[in-house]
Amino acid sequence: MGRIILTIAGPWHKAPDLPAGPLDVEFGAAEPGLSEEMADLAAQNATFEAPELKALRNHTGVLFVSAEVPREGDMGVARAAAAFMRAAFAAGALGAYIETAVKVFSPSTAAHLTADDPTTLFHLFVETYGEPGRVITEGMQAFGLRDIEVPCRAADEVAPAQA
């Protein structure tokens, strides 16, 4: 069985009224360490624009979102989590941290997020990493699947291995 875990920072003093569906959602106060961790992750890909990063550092509330994925290959929980993220950004979310994939999204990078497209869901909930001799995934549990490792020996094999 897999699991999805999201942490969403926002300007809220109480939980916004968002449709949770199969997701477990808890609300908590601001966590300064969270914004710094998200900023560090975002720096690798320039995910946040300067004003977005400033707003993130001043967040006042956090939504802790999680759900078990009931069976292998199930995309329902990922769809619900993506829809929840969309709704959270529409309600003013300042950043989302997909902990099970070690990825962050800003309001501008999530602007065109869709909850139905399988390719988008994959890119949203799964990260691929190229390391010497292999490409690995992190986050396949969002679909009830195990992460995979694809060996590659030479630099020209990395792109096909990632695909």
Side-chain angles (χ1 to χ4, degrees):
M1 192 175 332
R3 185 164 188 74
I4 290 180
I5 302 172
L6 309 173
T7 305
I8 303 173
W12 314 294
H13 294 285
K14 64 178 188 163
D17 185 23
L18 302 173
L23 308 172
D24 295 319
V25 180
E26 294 181 25
F27 179 78
E31 292 192 8
L34 171 66
S35 59
E36 290 312 310
E37 184 176 357
M38 290 174 69
D40 288 345
L41 287 170
Q44 299 170 20
N45 300 318
T47 304
F48 283 80
E49 296 173 10
E52 291 175 322
L53 199 51
K54 182 178 179 182
L56 175 65
R57 287 189 167 113
N58 291 317
H59 73 281
T60 55
V62 179
L63 296 170
F64 301 96
V65 184
S66 65
E68 294 288 330
V69 178
R71 64 190 169 283
E72 187 175 298
D74 186 300
M75 293 190 353
V77 174
R79 283 186 177 110
F84 187 87
M85 257 181 50
R86 272 182 71 146
F89 277 112
L94 303 169
Y97 181 11
I98 300 176
E99 297 195 32
T100 43
V102 192
K103 295 177 110 167
V104 294
F105 291 89
S106 68
S108 60
T109 59
H112 303 290
L113 179 68
T114 178
D116 295 324
D117 177 54
T119 303
T120 301
L121 292 173
F122 177 82
H123 289 292
L124 181 62
F125 293 109
V126 178
E127 184 63 85
T128 57
Y129 298 98
E131 296 181 350
R134 67 185 185 156
V135 172
I136 58 174
T137 63
E138 185 161 356
M140 294 291 287
Q141 63 182 311
F143 307 104
L145 302 169
R146 294 189 336 208
D147 285 309
I148 59 170
E149 176 179 331
V150 178
C152 56
R153 293 179 299 277
D156 65 339
E157 293 179 346
V158 172
Q162 209 166 15

